[in-house]
Structure formats: structure tokens, C-alpha cells
Amino acid sequence: MKASERDAIVSWQMNSIAERKLPQAGAGVEQADWLSDALGLMLGEYSAQSLTSRLYHGLRDWVQTGRLVCGQRLPSSRQLAKELGLGRNTVLAAFDQLLAEGFLVTRHGSGTFVADLPFPQTTTELAASPIQVEGAGALHLSARGTALLAFCHAQQEQRPTFVPGVPALDRFPHDHWQRLVRRHQQRMPQDWLAYQVQGGVPALREALADYLQLSRSVRCRPEQILIVQGAQQGFELIVRLLSDPGDEVWIEEPGYPGAQACFSAAGLGMTPVPVDDEGMNVEAVARPQSPKLIYVTPSHQYPSGVTMTLARRLALLEAAERHGAWVIEDDYDSEFRYEQRPIAALQGLVDDARVIYVGTFSKVMYPGLRLGYVVLPELLVEPFRRANARLHREGQYGVQSALAEFIARGHFSRHIRRMRDCYRHRQALLRRALAPAVARGLMLSEGHAGMHLVAWLHDAELERQLVQRGAEQGISLSLLSSYYLTAPSRPGLVLGYAGTPEAELESAGQWLTQAWCQLGPN
Amino acid sequence: MKASERDAIVSWQMNSIAERKLPQAGAGVEQADWLSDALGLMLGEYSAQSLTSRLYHGLRDWVQTGRLVCGQRLPSSRQLAKELGLGRNTVLAAFDQLLAEGFLVTRHGSGTFVADLPFPQTTTELAASPIQVEGAGALHLSARGTALLAFCHAQQEQRPTFVPGVPALDRFPHDHWQRLVRRHQQRMPQDWLAYQVQGGVPALREALADYLQLSRSVRCRPEQILIVQGAQQGFELIVRLLSDPGDEVWIEEPGYPGAQACFSAAGLGMTPVPVDDEGMNVEAVARPQSPKLIYVTPSHQYPSGVTMTLARRLALLEAAERHGAWVIEDDYDSEFRYEQRPIAALQGLVDDARVIYVGTFSKVMYPGLRLGYVVLPELLVEPFRRANARLHREGQYGVQSALAEFIARGHFSRHIRRMRDCYRHRQALLRRALAPAVARGLMLSEGHAGMHLVAWLHDAELERQLVQRGAEQGISLSLLSSYYLTAPSRPGLVLGYAGTPEAELESAGQWLTQAWCQLGPN
């Protein structure tokens, strides 16, 4: 059979299938005529593959879907090859694979048969049919999975206008960074491609220890630093190694949903602790149960922007000591302060504090890098390193090595300084654009730090209306209420300004001013 | 005071401290002489930092350690500047930072005072003292953390001889791959540096869907693929979304400790299911409790190397259906089969099978890449994508994009073919080196696939002796017993051969032969 003839048969059989005229299976070798015809069709269907592969898939699909029934004898490879116009080796290779996988069996002297196996008989067509999507999906999930999903809102592919937590990607020294990465990838030891259990590239931990001591007043030796694939992975290790399901974690209210998701997935009870102008107030917790963990963003509370006072910091450390709890200090964007030096970390405040410091390169470099770190008390170093190597694996050693040089040579500090200027400028720009609204009563959070502002609103209806209008404009406004576990005391919007280029920021600010003046309380 | 004078004072004060002659704190402004002297010492200690930073750290440390007590008045900035031979602005900047952080307070007209705050009074020296290491570390851990650590053995920095699961890093086309990565990093959209919620680079998911369909008979649309940072992250998502603490998971016995660690951390009960020559035997499970998850490596059981028969596969799928359980198919190294085409995946065997297919690039590319994927039934796609973006974050989009091209242009398949030849050759080499031992009774597993062999031993004492001898030679032998949850039916060694260069493999094989012949049963 020539290719053109085969094509003709295939197209005829396509029609047959469409009209459901294809002969039914079951009658055995006598019907080899329909089998080879239909296989010809198959060969057309799987046209992207080799002939052997097409024949293999065709026969296999038919066994699976019951078109070829258990115990049915197949034509000999010689006969099939002739019928299909294929080389005999092509057919034999397909048969061999099906025999090896157990779909076919041979009985000595009497030929090749479909294996006698309990394939679930389905009525689906030959090609995999698309399964129904959406609907009662949550029914399949576990209780913890369902609870977890409450913290995993559908995130759209957003334009970055006002999205909090995204740095100025347009200002990242991408070419320089990539040259550095390339050089380190090229000359890195071959071992670095394999599984690693060191806790991260030593040079990076050394550079980080220096940097953290100098700029964050974190006290640690390089060995106390564990490199992880982002702050979230640090949280994961902490909850697994230091808490059990049913334990309490104190969290800031409002607070960071990423940490909340992690705590929820770990089966922890979350006690919201109110945040006021001085930061998280542990004195305000009424519950009798001691926490195992306390999660806090003291340098620049997320999302309210408050800096925790020294008195509150000491009260927090005292409470942690009293309860035997570990404090998770999430120092996500403290590098960006516009008035004075960044506020020193909680971690170095007192000796032997029960603090685990978690840092990320997502803000000071970029989120897609997936690198962060955990600074651990000496006793916890070894368990954390082991658990991380086992549960999450280490990797990206070439990139880590490049980052070590980036820090050690001062590029990192320079980039931070530049971004500090950039964000200060962008914040000022946004404030200017919002000034008319502020003059008419819009309240903005203090802006001495960070990458976002909070615009406090008078009522939830206004919040809702602004978000809706924003969506129509392609501007994604983050609701302050989505950061609360309980009913929010005051509605508001979280306005990220760091990642939005100036022109866009200005027009988005003007839009918001206009919308607020139209909808606001006047 | 000139630099030379200051140095002289510092060195004198170093001695004072060593002899503990430094005056005690507390007497107030009259003792400004000791304060400025001691601060001069401080300036020497923090010599890597700016003068402001050194002064800030010095004063701060002293407040924290009680050397400066609450309410104590400090000399004026003018006076201190004069005493220390510093510019007044330097002193003012340090004071400002300490005022901002709340360590100092000013009272109008009467000067600068140490804040009245309850610093824990410790007796530590000025510099952070190293904390005690090791010891009762486990006491700090949670119950689940302690259980988890049982699966996280101390891993040495090993030479790769015989370490299972490591591919031939010496044969990876590193230069070609890095060029590709560089090109994709350079021209990728800026958005890819930010947080992503797409489930992975679309081109990679498309290339993978084609590859999986053709070479693994996995049936899926690209949308069903979720790119993760390694197979372990895939397991993490599955246990979180589809099981609750206390649920059962059936696992192969012996089986993969990485998966066991994940199940343990998730609070699951593990039911070991025996593996025989046909693979995992679900009929052999006596327990009445239904599993929520079933973990299996059907293509090439880890570590025994058995291929699961079609009958067993169908029985497994039937059991999963009956129990309403999800099968986790871990297809970690199925690309490496030396006799025929790789065995088709469980995932595509029947329609709507309750199977989640987990793949990794750690074996076919290299472990440090940290990329893997999960193939999900349509209903689970959206929950998994959301939970992954929230819990683990997505990233490395440039690398993903390069990998898409590597696959789509056939480099990936070519590399796999080359590695297949390489591993076949390395296995043959190891077998040849072990032949004298085999002639005298050493049993080796079948070697038609994979990256390791199992050498079965007669008794546990021999196992222990061989491991000890190996350690003396710097050869790391993996105990088969470490893959068992229950008492192992038979001792043995897991010998990885893929990642060990030929010469080293040969001599290590000869060493093992010799050791076995000396210690073995004859």
C-alpha cells in the first residue's frame, strides 16, 4: 500500500468513525481486515510519531478501551506488516513493547493475544477526551487543603500598577547580574550540580553574615545562616520543626497572607494580635493558650507600615521567653527606609533571644530569583539543614555564588541605595498625585519606609466601589480587609508603588484621586 | 586626638578589658571619662565599619548589656565628639539612630538619656559570644519535627562513588545549556522577574506535554502540568491538598526516604506495602483503613529496581478507585531503560485514573536545577496552581524557558539517549568488576533500567562490615535497610553507578569485590 492509498483509507475511515460505522471488536483473527484498516487510521492519527510508536499507541489504546478484547488473537506480525504496508521490524518493535508492558501475551506456537487483564471498560473514544473542568473541585480536597485555599486567592496576571511587594524590575541591573551569574555558572565545581547538603554556598553565607551584621545588626556566624528558596520555604521549615498541629501561632492583625497560608497548612491555630501605632501589641492578647510561634514584621509592619517601638520589641521578646515560643522575624523590606538608617533587627536586640530571622532576596533583588535565608540559633542549625536538604533539597549553587560576589563587592548595597532613592521618589510622586484627595480627607499611612502605602477609607462600601472601578481600568487595588483574619477595624487600600514606573504611577494616582473625589465622603 | 594616639588608647584599653579593670557603669555624666575611653576602644573593635556605625553599635551594645543603665545621662554630642576626636555630625548621626530606635531618649533642655526599658540584664561580653552547639537540640523540636528528622539522616559531603540518584554530571552538556539559559535570561519579559502565578512557563508545559505523551504515554494537555521546584515540592502540594493528618498513605517497602519524610511531616500514617518481583502488591495489605494516597514508582521501583507488571498496575488502579485514594506516580528515572522503550506510565493506562504523575529534571538534567512537574487531573489544576503560588512561589522563568527550547529542539531527547548509552556502559563495567564476587554467590538485581543496582547480601553483619570498610576507603555504601520502615527481609547495598566516572567505578567495583570475597560467606 502506497502512502497515497493509505491516506485515502485513513480519510475514508475518519468518515467511518464520524458516522460510527467502524466494525465492532471481538470476533477474532478473521476480522483482521477491519483491524488493519482501523490501524491504518491510527497511523494517521498519531502522525507526529514514528510508525512503530503509532502502531504501539494504536494497539494499546484499543486494548485499554476494550476495542480489542481480552484473549483476542492478533494477526501475525508478518500479516499485519503486509496489510499496513509497513516493514515487519516496525510491527515487531511495537509488538515487543506491548509484550514487555504486558498488554499482549504470546502462546508458544499459536500466536499473539490480548492479555487477559481486567481493564476497566470505558466508552471513551480512542483519543483521550478532555475531562470536565471546574465545578465541585473542592470536594476532592482534604480539610486542610480546603482551609489552605482560603488563603490562596485567585491571582490574575496583573499589570503591576499598585501591586504591593514587587520591586522596580525596570531598574534592576539585569545585564550586569546575568554576566555575573554566567561567570559563576561556568566555573563552578561540578559537584554543585548534584544534591547539596551544605546549607547554601559558604561564600554567600559569609557575605550575608557581614551584610546582616553591618546593616541589620543581626548577630550571627555564617554557619547559622541557611539558604532557602524564598522566605516561604523558611516559614515551612519553622512550622514543621517547631510546632505541631493544634499549636497556636500569634500573628499580626492585619498581617501577611503568605505566612497565614503556611500556618494554616501546618494545622496551627492562629491568634490575631492587634497592631497599633507602635506595632504588634502582645499585651492585648486575651487568650490563655501559650503560643508556640509568634510571627512579626517589626521593621515595617506588613501591611500597615508601622515600625515596632523598642518597648514593644522588648515586651515581645519577654512574652516569647515566658511562653517558650519562637519569634519569626520576617524582615522583608527593611532596607528601604527614607529618613534614617534601617531600624535594627529584633534578632540582635538581646542575647540568646528566641528569634529566627527570615530574610528574602525577592524585594532587594527580584522575586523570580527564589532565594531567601533563615538565621538560626546554633542549636537549630543542624536539624534545619537536614530537614531542608530532605524536604526541599538545595540548589542553584551557581546563582548563589554569583550573589555572594554581588554582595561582597558592594553591588548589592549600591543597588539597594539606588532603589531607596527610586522608591522615595516614586512614593513622593504618588503622594503628589493623591494630594487633592488627601486635602479632601483621604488618609495615607506614614511613608518613611517600604514599598507601599495604605490609604485608609471611611467605609467598606467605598472600598468595594473603588476596587470595582479599578478593575474596569485594569488597575488592581489590594483590599486592606484581605489582610485581616477578623473583621477589619477600618477599610483601606494597599498601594504598592515600588514596582510601578513613574508615568504609570502618576496616572494611576490621578485616577485614584479622581475616583475618590467622586465617590468619597463629601 | 590623632589616629596614632587613639590607637595607643585602644590598645591600652584592650588590656584593661582583658584585666577587667574597665570602670563599672552607673555613675552618670561625671564618668564621661571612662565612657569616652571605652568608646574609643569600641571604635577600634568595629573597625570594619564607618565611625558612625561603630559608635552606634558600641552605645547600643552597652545599653543592651547593662553597661549603660536605664535613665543614665549621656555626655552631650559636642562633648563626646571632642573626647573621641570625631566630627560632631558623626556623633549626632549615631545618636539620631539610637533615638529613632528607642535606645536613647531626649528630655528637653536636660540632655540625652538611656531609655527606661526592661532590657534583660545579661553578663555577656561586648561582642556576641558564640552559643553552645549540639547536645539536647531535639528537645527544642516539635513532635512532628522530631519524627521528620528520623527520615533526614546526616548526609556527608560525599564523593559520588556509588551514591544513588546522581546522574553523570561529567557528561552534561554544560556549555551548551548555559548558552541557552543566558540567551533566554537576556530576552525574557521583565514580568518574569516578578511573582508568577501561571503554573510555569507555557512553552515548557507545551514541550513537556508532547514529550510525556510520546515517550511516557502520559495523557495530558499542557494546562494540566504544574511546574514545581523539584519532585519533593510536588509531593508537598499533594499531601497538603489531598490528605489530612492521621490519614493513611500506602508506600512501597522498601521505598524512597524523600517521600517518606514528606508523608511524615504531613502527619500521615504510613502503611508499608511489600514489593516483590512484580512490584508493589496491594493485595498484600491487611489493614482495614482505606488509604488517602498511594505512593508508587512503577517504572523502576526505588530502590529494588523492579518494574511493576501490568496486572499489578491494574490491581493498583482498581484499589485506588475502590478506596477513593489518589495514586502518586513518581516516575523519577524511567527514561533510562536499556532493553526496550521505556515502560509506559501508569497515568495514561486507563481513562480518568486517580493518578497524579510526578516527574523531575534532577535525573535527566541535574539535581541542582531544582525543576520538576506534576501532571494533574483537570479538577485539581486550579487548586494546585493557587496553593503552589502561595505556599512555594513560582520562579526561574528564564531557566524554564531555556528548558522548553532544550526539549522542543530535541537536545533533551538526544541527551537522554547519550546518557542511556553511558549508563548502560557504566552498569556493564560495574557488573564486570563485580563478576568474581557474583561467581562466588553475590546476588545483583536485574539491570535493565535505571541508575543503580542492588547487591543483596546474606546477612546484616556483612552489610555492616562492608559499610565500615567502605567508609575507611571514602566509599559511601547505601544500606538497603535504610529504605525500609519495617525490619528488612534481606540486607543489601544500593550501588549507584550513573554518576561515577568509569575509572573510579571500576576501581570501586574491584574494591567491593575484594571486600566481599574476604568477608563473604565462603
Side-chain angles (χ1 to χ4, degrees):
Chain A
M1 183 159 57
K2 285 177 201 153
S4 59
E5 291 173 83
R6 205 189 311 154
D7 284 352
I9 290 180
V10 165
S11 96
W12 170 80
Q13 283 163 331
M14 285 283 191
N15 295 332
S16 302
I17 270 216
E19 296 167 32
R20 311 202 172 283
K21 280 182 186 164
L22 207 71
Q24 287 308 299
V29 70
E30 299 73 23
Q31 294 205 356
D33 52 343
W34 79 255
L35 182 65
S36 51
D37 284 355
L39 277 172
L41 170 61
M42 272 299 177
L43 297 181
E45 280 205 344
Y46 291 86
S47 59
Q49 307 172 22
S50 75
L51 285 169
T52 296
S53 173
R54 285 189 245 174
L55 188 59
Y56 157 78
H57 278 109
L59 285 167
R60 188 166 163 277
D61 269 355
W62 288 8
V63 173
Q64 287 175 223
T65 53
R67 183 170 289 276
L68 287 170
V69 297
C70 295
Q72 184 172 356
R73 187 168 140 196
L74 292 186
S76 71
S77 58
R78 194 182 309 269
Q79 187 184 349
L80 208 52
K82 195 172 148 222
E83 301 264 358
L84 296 171
L86 300 173
R88 190 168 167 226
N89 282 342
T90 304
V91 177
L92 278 176
F95 272 31
D96 278 352
Q97 181 72 20
L98 291 163
L99 288 164
E101 294 189 357
F103 288 95
L104 302 181
V105 290
T106 52
R107 293 185 208 139
H108 191 66
S110 59
T112 305
F113 297 81
V114 176
D116 193 8
L117 286 167
F119 283 98
Q121 296 302 306
T122 56
T123 52
T124 45
E125 282 297 53
L126 306 182
S129 58
I131 307 161
Q132 293 306 307
V133 197
E134 292 297 335
L139 294 180
H140 291 269
L141 302 181
S142 60
R144 74 170 143 204
T146 308
L148 168 60
L149 278 190
F151 297 94
C152 310
H153 310 295
Q155 290 162 300
Q156 309 298 320
E157 323 276 306
Q158 297 162 322
R159 27 186 323 222
T161 310
F162 290 150
V163 176
V166 179
L169 304 173
D170 54 327
R171 299 292 179 90
F172 186 74
H174 201 62
D175 291 344
H176 175 204
W177 168 242
Q178 284 306 330
R179 274 198 305 277
L180 208 60
V181 170
R182 188 191 329 156
R183 186 149 45 79
H184 282 262
Q185 298 270 25
Q186 271 165 357
R187 64 184 190 194
M188 73 182 188
Q190 202 185 81
D191 272 5
W192 283 9
L193 298 177
Y195 295 106
Q196 287 294 328
V197 293
Q198 300 183 52
V201 167
L204 177 57
R205 290 185 290 154
E206 279 158 30
L208 256 181
D210 283 349
Y211 167 77
L212 290 173
Q213 159 74 27
L214 265 169
S215 73
R216 309 292 308 114
S217 298
V218 167
R219 306 191 206 183
C220 69
R221 299 180 306 117
E223 294 73 20
Q224 289 172 257
I225 299 177
L226 177 69
I227 307 294
V228 289
Q229 292 162 66
Q232 288 289 139
Q233 200 170 85
F235 303 153
E236 292 281 321
L237 286 171
I238 293 168
V239 296
R240 253 71 109 59
L241 288 171
L242 300 175
S243 77
D244 283 308
D247 283 346
E248 282 297 297
V249 56
W250 286 359
I251 58 168
E252 295 164 320
E253 178 83 335
Y256 174 50
Q260 292 164 2
C262 168
F263 301 140
S264 164
L268 301 184
M270 286 185 258
T271 304
V273 182
V275 170
D276 60 21
D277 289 352
E278 300 185 46
M280 183 192 230
N281 182 9
V282 293
E283 310 293 328
V285 180
R287 286 216 215 178
Q289 200 188 340
S290 280
K292 270 283 167 57
L293 301 170
I294 305 176
Y295 170 85
V296 67
T297 51
S299 301
H300 187 231
Q301 204 273 331
Y302 193 77
S304 76
V306 170
T307 301
M308 195 177 211
T309 61
L310 191 56
R312 283 283 173 82
R313 285 171 193 237
L314 292 170
L316 169 62
L317 293 179
E318 190 277 324
E321 197 68 43
R322 181 158 34 90
H323 291 292
W326 287 101
V327 175
I328 306 172
E329 178 175 23
D330 181 3
D331 206 22
Y332 65 104
D333 77 351
S334 59
E335 284 84 358
F336 305 123
R337 291 199 80 80
Y338 311 122
E339 282 162 23
Q340 70 254 340
R341 237 177 123 264
I343 297 295
L346 199 56
Q347 192 266 7
L349 202 55
V350 304
D351 284 327
D352 300 327
R354 299 182 63 89
V355 175
I356 299 174
Y357 180 93
V358 181
T360 176
F361 291 105
S362 292
K363 313 299 177 195
V364 284
M365 297 286 286
Y366 57 90
L369 186 62
R370 304 314 315 130
L371 283 176
Y373 50 94
V374 181
V375 181
L376 295 158
E378 303 259 2
L379 273 174
L380 295 179
V381 169
E382 175 70 12
F384 270 69
R385 194 179 54 74
R386 280 196 205 177
N388 184 51
R390 177 53 95 192
L391 278 187
H392 305 136
R393 303 282 196 196
E394 299 186 14
Q396 294 205 71
Y397 265 44
V399 177
Q400 288 188 29
S401 176
L403 187 52
E405 183 177 335
F406 197 72
I407 296 172
R409 285 184 180 264
H411 303 306
F412 185 67
S413 296
R414 249 192 309 283
H415 177 60
I416 289 174
R417 277 198 299 275
R418 257 187 240 121
M419 289 308 98
R420 204 178 284 148
D421 290 344
C422 167
Y423 299 164
R424 183 193 286 121
H425 177 66
R426 288 186 178 179
Q427 192 201 108
L429 210 108
L430 176 59
R431 281 188 183 278
R432 231 179 358 258
L434 294 176
V438 170
R440 292 172 69 179
L442 180 72
M443 297 257 309
L444 285 184
S445 60
E446 278 188 31
H448 43 65
M451 302 162 69
H452 66 270
L453 291 174
V454 177
W456 309 95
L457 300 176
H458 293 72
D459 62 85
E461 174 57 20
L462 179 58
E463 194 185 40
R464 199 194 58 74
Q465 287 179 345
L466 285 171
V467 168
Q468 191 189 328
R469 282 227 184 167
E472 289 160 13
Q473 298 290 319
I475 291 175
S476 155
L477 295 171
S478 299
L479 287 181
L480 186 59
S481 55
S482 68
Y483 297 81
Y484 280 84
L485 280 196
T486 55
S489 53
R490 220 164 134 195
L493 302 171
V494 181
L495 305 174
Y497 52 80
T500 308
E502 282 73 6
E504 194 180 335
L505 194 60
E506 199 157 10
S507 67
Q510 284 161 358
W511 168 84
L512 183 57
T513 294
Q514 204 178 11
W516 192 86
C517 289
Q518 281 172 14
L519 300 169
N522 24 44
Chain B
M1 188 158 56
K2 285 178 199 150
S4 58
E5 290 173 80
R6 201 189 311 154
D7 284 353
I9 290 181
V10 165
S11 96
W12 170 81
Q13 283 164 331
M14 283 283 190
N15 295 332
S16 302
I17 269 216
E19 297 166 33
R20 308 200 176 283
K21 281 183 186 159
L22 207 71
Q24 288 309 299
V29 68
E30 298 73 24
Q31 294 204 357
D33 52 342
W34 80 256
L35 182 66
S36 52
D37 283 355
L39 278 171
L41 171 62
M42 273 297 178
L43 297 181
E45 279 205 345
Y46 291 86
S47 58
Q49 308 171 22
S50 75
L51 285 169
T52 296
S53 173
R54 284 188 245 171
L55 188 59
Y56 158 77
H57 277 109
L59 285 168
R60 189 166 163 274
D61 269 356
W62 288 7
V63 174
Q64 287 175 222
T65 55
R67 184 171 287 278
L68 288 170
V69 297
C70 296
Q72 185 171 356
R73 189 170 137 196
L74 293 184
S76 70
S77 57
R78 194 182 310 266
Q79 186 185 352
L80 209 52
K82 196 175 147 219
E83 301 265 356
L84 295 171
L86 301 172
R88 186 162 170 232
N89 282 342
T90 305
V91 177
L92 278 176
F95 272 29
D96 278 352
Q97 180 73 20
L98 291 162
L99 288 164
E101 294 189 357
F103 288 96
L104 303 180
V105 290
T106 52
R107 292 184 209 142
H108 190 67
S110 58
T112 306
F113 298 81
V114 176
D116 192 9
L117 286 167
F119 283 99
Q121 296 303 307
T122 57
T123 54
T124 45
E125 281 300 53
L126 307 182
S129 57
I131 306 162
Q132 293 306 309
V133 198
E134 292 299 332
L139 294 181
H140 291 270
L141 302 181
S142 60
R144 75 170 141 204
T146 308
L148 167 60
L149 278 190
F151 296 94
C152 309
H153 309 295
Q155 289 162 301
Q156 307 298 320
E157 321 278 304
Q158 298 163 320
R159 8 178 350 209
T161 310
F162 289 151
V163 175
V166 179
L169 304 174
D170 53 327
R171 300 293 181 90
F172 185 75
H174 201 61
D175 290 344
H176 175 202
W177 169 243
Q178 283 306 330
R179 273 197 304 279
L180 208 59
V181 170
R182 190 188 332 157
R183 186 148 46 79
H184 282 261
Q185 297 270 28
Q186 272 166 357
R187 65 186 190 194
M188 74 182 187
Q190 201 186 80
D191 272 4
W192 283 8
L193 298 177
Y195 294 107
Q196 288 293 329
V197 292
Q198 302 182 51
V201 167
L204 177 57
R205 290 185 289 154
E206 278 158 29
L208 256 181
D210 284 349
Y211 166 76
L212 290 173
Q213 160 73 26
L214 266 167
S215 72
R216 311 291 310 115
S217 299
V218 167
R219 306 193 206 182
C220 70
R221 300 180 307 118
E223 293 75 19
Q224 289 172 258
I225 299 178
L226 176 68
I227 307 294
V228 287
Q229 292 163 66
Q232 288 289 139
Q233 198 169 87
F235 303 153
E236 292 279 321
L237 285 171
I238 293 168
V239 297
R240 253 72 109 57
L241 288 171
L242 300 174
S243 76
D244 282 308
D247 282 346
E248 282 298 297
V249 54
W250 286 359
I251 57 167
E252 296 164 320
E253 178 83 334
Y256 174 49
Q260 292 163 4
C262 169
F263 301 142
S264 164
L268 301 184
M270 287 185 257
T271 305
V273 182
V275 170
D276 60 20
D277 290 351
E278 300 185 49
M280 183 192 230
N281 182 9
V282 293
E283 311 292 328
V285 179
R287 286 218 212 174
Q289 199 188 342
S290 281
K292 268 285 167 55
L293 300 170
I294 306 176
Y295 171 84
V296 67
T297 52
S299 300
H300 186 234
Q301 204 273 330
Y302 193 77
S304 76
V306 169
T307 302
M308 194 178 211
T309 62
L310 191 56
R312 284 281 173 82
R313 285 170 193 240
L314 293 170
L316 170 62
L317 292 179
E318 190 276 323
E321 195 68 42
R322 183 157 33 89
H323 291 292
W326 287 101
V327 175
I328 306 172
E329 177 175 26
D330 181 4
D331 207 21
Y332 65 103
D333 77 351
S334 61
E335 283 84 357
F336 304 122
R337 292 200 80 81
Y338 311 121
E339 283 163 20
Q340 71 253 340
R341 232 178 127 267
I343 297 295
L346 198 57
Q347 192 267 7
L349 202 57
V350 306
D351 283 327
D352 299 327
R354 299 181 64 87
V355 176
I356 298 174
Y357 179 93
V358 180
T360 176
F361 290 105
S362 293
K363 314 299 179 195
V364 284
M365 298 287 284
Y366 58 90
L369 186 62
R370 303 315 317 131
L371 282 177
Y373 49 94
V374 180
V375 182
L376 294 159
E378 304 258 3
L379 272 175
L380 295 180
V381 169
E382 175 70 10
F384 270 68
R385 193 178 55 72
R386 278 195 208 180
N388 184 52
R390 178 53 95 189
L391 279 187
H392 306 135
R393 303 283 193 192
E394 301 186 12
Q396 293 206 71
Y397 266 43
V399 177
Q400 289 188 30
S401 176
L403 188 52
E405 183 178 334
F406 197 72
I407 296 173
R409 285 184 182 264
H411 303 305
F412 185 67
S413 297
R414 250 192 311 283
H415 177 61
I416 289 174
R417 278 198 300 277
R418 259 188 238 123
M419 288 308 97
R420 203 178 283 147
D421 291 343
C422 167
Y423 298 163
R424 182 194 285 117
H425 176 67
R426 288 185 178 180
Q427 190 199 112
L429 209 108
L430 177 59
R431 281 188 183 280
R432 223 170 17 249
L434 293 176
V438 170
R440 293 172 69 179
L442 179 73
M443 296 255 310
L444 284 183
S445 60
E446 280 190 28
H448 42 65
M451 301 162 70
H452 66 270
L453 291 174
V454 177
W456 309 95
L457 300 177
H458 294 73
D459 61 84
E461 174 56 19
L462 180 58
E463 194 186 40
R464 199 194 56 75
Q465 286 179 344
L466 285 172
V467 168
Q468 191 189 328
R469 283 224 184 173
E472 288 160 12
Q473 298 289 317
I475 290 174
S476 155
L477 296 171
S478 299
L479 288 180
L480 187 59
S481 55
S482 69
Y483 296 81
Y484 280 85
L485 280 196
T486 57
S489 53
R490 219 166 135 193
L493 302 171
V494 181
L495 305 174
Y497 53 79
T500 309
E502 283 74 6
E504 193 180 335
L505 194 62
E506 201 157 11
S507 66
Q510 284 161 358
W511 168 84
L512 183 58
T513 293
Q514 205 178 9
W516 193 87
C517 289
Q518 281 171 14
L519 300 168
N522 26 41

